[in-house]
Amino acid sequence: YAPWFGLSTDFGFFRRITFAVGAFGPSSVGRRSYPLFVPATDPATGMGGVRPGPGRYDVLATDLLIVFPTLAMGIHAHRVLDLGIAVQQVSAVLNLASASYAPLPNNNAPCAERPEDARCDALTRVQVRSFDNFALALGALVHPTPSFDIGVHVRSAVNLGLHPIRAKGTVSATTPPALAELPPLGTERMDAQFETWLPWQFRLGLRYSHKPAGREIFDVEVDGTYEAWSWNDGSDNKLTLLKPPMLVNRGEPFSILLRHSYRDTFSVRVGGSYTQPISEQSSLILRLGALVDSSASRDQDLRLDFDTLMKAGATVGLGLYARGVTLNIAYAYLHSLPRTVENGALVPINGTNGQPLSFNDVPAPGVNSGSYSGQTHILSLGLSVLFDDLVKGAGWVASHRG
């Protein structure tokens, strides 16, 4: 569920300037969950049971909310040029869960000798939030002819790329089952800071509309997007425990680097619409589109927390316009192209010091090898109101532009 809200006005006074307020989020899926245990069959007995989830050292659950409250201004600078500027506050509420490994000696399991024994897992939950971030956006729309438009849009990285989102809150970790005989570890609530990035984003769009007698019949649009993840350390996240207990890093603050190593990405979108007049005051609009998104991750860096596979998708939509009010409904299907990873580089985190897990100075094997695929279904509902058209009749806004 990702609502979008916007309201614009010229206050009935400005002919070339429009002001707007709004709120929306980035184009992503913020909530995912994976099982801690999965069904399994004992090959020796054929009996059913469970085994530890293979993705637990990557992520068990994400519940991420990022919102851009926005103030914007549009300027009709010339008959062939419109300009826009927006200032965005960036709010982030982040909840994540995964498993770390506790290689401490004990009598119940060989935690200090080998990896991936579920009895040595500590389930870790991060709950942080941040509200003191911002971004800027600039846009230009050029109209070389009445039927052809060229659009350019740039949105800055969060905090102009000067520093990441620094969300503060708490981390809690359970005691591994193999260490249950020890005194309480004091990891039930630890002060923490989580750092993450949002990248610079660049968009270019071309649009042709066919409108004989001034009324649009159809349009075709091609858009391209480029996201510069590599400008911000590939969006490597960092979790810092500010006041850990004595059994964790001897009570000293330490940071855990959560590598993603994202590459810069690009996408291409093609779409169009056909408008069928129903009456002088209403029309029916059919929309179709397709898209391709490049992958943000190399094979060895693929993870479960975000779907960074290459994607192909298609969309279909229907709109009904009646005297300034437009009701839209749309469906999109995104197919994440399957990939098989044989050289996974994601190593479990040593929960006692925040470093990649190793035994006798030999790194533990990667845990993100395997087969990846995905599907996303998106249903969208939208309502837009042109109040001048609603009061003064359909087409009033379009006929009084410029």
Side-chain angles (χ1 to χ4, degrees):
Y1 178 65
W4 187 101
F5 166 79
L7 179 67
S8 65
T9 180
D10 59 8
F11 296 102
F13 178 79
F14 298 99
R15 185 166 180 81
R16 291 181 173 270
I17 302 177
T18 301
F19 300 89
V21 297
F24 57 95
S27 299
S28 65
V29 177
R31 180 174 293 179
R32 298 180 184 273
S33 61
Y34 300 92
L36 178 60
F37 294 96
V38 296
T41 301
D42 188 325
T45 64
M47 299 292 290
V50 296
R51 62 180 177 85
R56 65 192 188 278
Y57 298 118
D58 183 354
V59 65
L60 288 170
T62 61
D63 188 358
L64 314 177
L65 176 64
I66 297 178
V67 182
F68 302 134
T70 302
L71 294 174
M73 180 175 66
I75 303 171
H76 185 54
H78 187 271
R79 176 177 55 84
V80 298
L81 178 63
D82 294 306
L83 301 173
I85 182 171
V87 179
Q88 299 175 327
Q89 186 264 345
V90 182
S91 298
V93 179
L94 313 175
N95 297 301
L96 311 96
S98 65
S100 58
Y101 203 76
L104 297 174
N106 64 88
N107 298 322
N108 299 318
C111 300
E113 302 171 10
R114 69 184 188 194
E116 297 191 50
D117 190 318
R119 295 170 294 178
C120 310
D121 290 348
L123 303 185
T124 305
R125 182 172 297 277
V126 180
Q127 297 176 298
V128 293
R129 57 188 59 199
S130 176
F131 303 102
D132 56 351
N133 311 283
F134 74 97
L136 298 178
L138 300 172
L141 189 61
V142 182
H143 318 283
T145 72
S147 298
F148 185 60
D149 305 304
I150 303 173
V152 179
H153 180 266
V154 178
R155 190 180 73 199
S156 76
V158 63
N159 302 313
L160 300 182
L162 300 176
H163 63 83
I165 294 174
R166 291 173 177 152
K168 294 186 177 181
T170 61
V171 170
S172 60
T174 63
T175 299
L179 305 179
E181 62 188 25
L182 297 179
L185 301 181
T187 58
E188 297 82 7
R189 181 181 176 89
M190 299 173 283
D191 294 336
Q193 176 176 283
F194 185 84
E195 298 182 6
T196 189
W197 290 95
L198 294 174
W200 284 87
Q201 187 179 85
F202 305 88
R203 296 176 182 269
L204 173 67
L206 307 175
R207 179 178 183 266
Y208 170 78
S209 59
H210 182 64
K211 38 190 174 183
R215 186 163 187 171
E216 183 175 310
I217 301 301
F218 71 87
D219 82 309
V220 178
E221 186 169 344
V222 179
D223 300 315
T225 301
Y226 185 85
E227 293 186 342
W229 289 101
S230 65
W231 296 11
N232 300 309
D233 300 324
S235 189
D236 288 343
N237 300 327
K238 185 165 70 172
L239 174 65
T240 300
L241 297 187
L242 304 175
K243 297 178 181 178
M246 287 302 299
L247 284 177
V248 179
N249 202 46
R250 300 180 302 278
E252 296 294 326
F254 68 97
S255 296
I256 302 170
L257 186 62
L258 306 173
R259 295 190 181 277
H260 287 80
S261 302
Y262 288 157
R263 300 179 293 182
D264 294 351
T265 63
F266 65 88
S267 65
V268 177
R269 287 158 166 75
V270 180
S273 66
Y274 174 78
T275 302
Q276 175 61 52
I278 300 174
S279 68
E280 288 296 321
Q281 299 287 334
S282 61
S283 56
L284 193 65
I285 307 155
L286 174 65
R287 300 182 176 92
L288 295 172
L291 62 92
V292 174
D293 287 350
S294 69
S295 173
S297 300
R298 302 174 182 85
D299 280 1
Q300 64 267 30
D301 300 317
L302 271 176
R303 301 186 58 164
L304 294 174
D305 52 356
F306 292 101
D307 181 358
T308 58
L309 294 167
M310 184 176 183
K311 300 176 185 64
T315 64
V316 61
L318 190 65
L320 177 63
Y321 169 84
R323 194 182 172 93
V325 179
T326 305
L327 177 64
N328 292 307
I329 183 171
Y331 167 76
Y333 171 75
L334 303 181
H335 181 70
S336 299
L337 277 62
R339 283 163 70 178
T340 298
V341 175
E342 298 179 348
N343 60 339
L346 177 64
V347 175
I349 296 296
N350 183 331
T352 65
N353 59 19
Q355 299 301 310
L357 184 64
S358 64
F359 295 89
N360 298 319
D361 296 325
V362 177
V367 295
N368 60 322
S369 295
S371 297
Y372 292 76
S373 62
Q375 300 176 0
T376 303
H377 302 269
I378 303 172
L379 180 64
S380 301
L381 295 173
L383 177 68
S384 64
V385 180
L386 297 174
F387 290 100
D388 285 324
D389 279 16
L390 183 64
V391 175
K392 300 173 183 178
W396 190 93
V397 171
S399 64
H400 286 74
R401 286 175 179 158

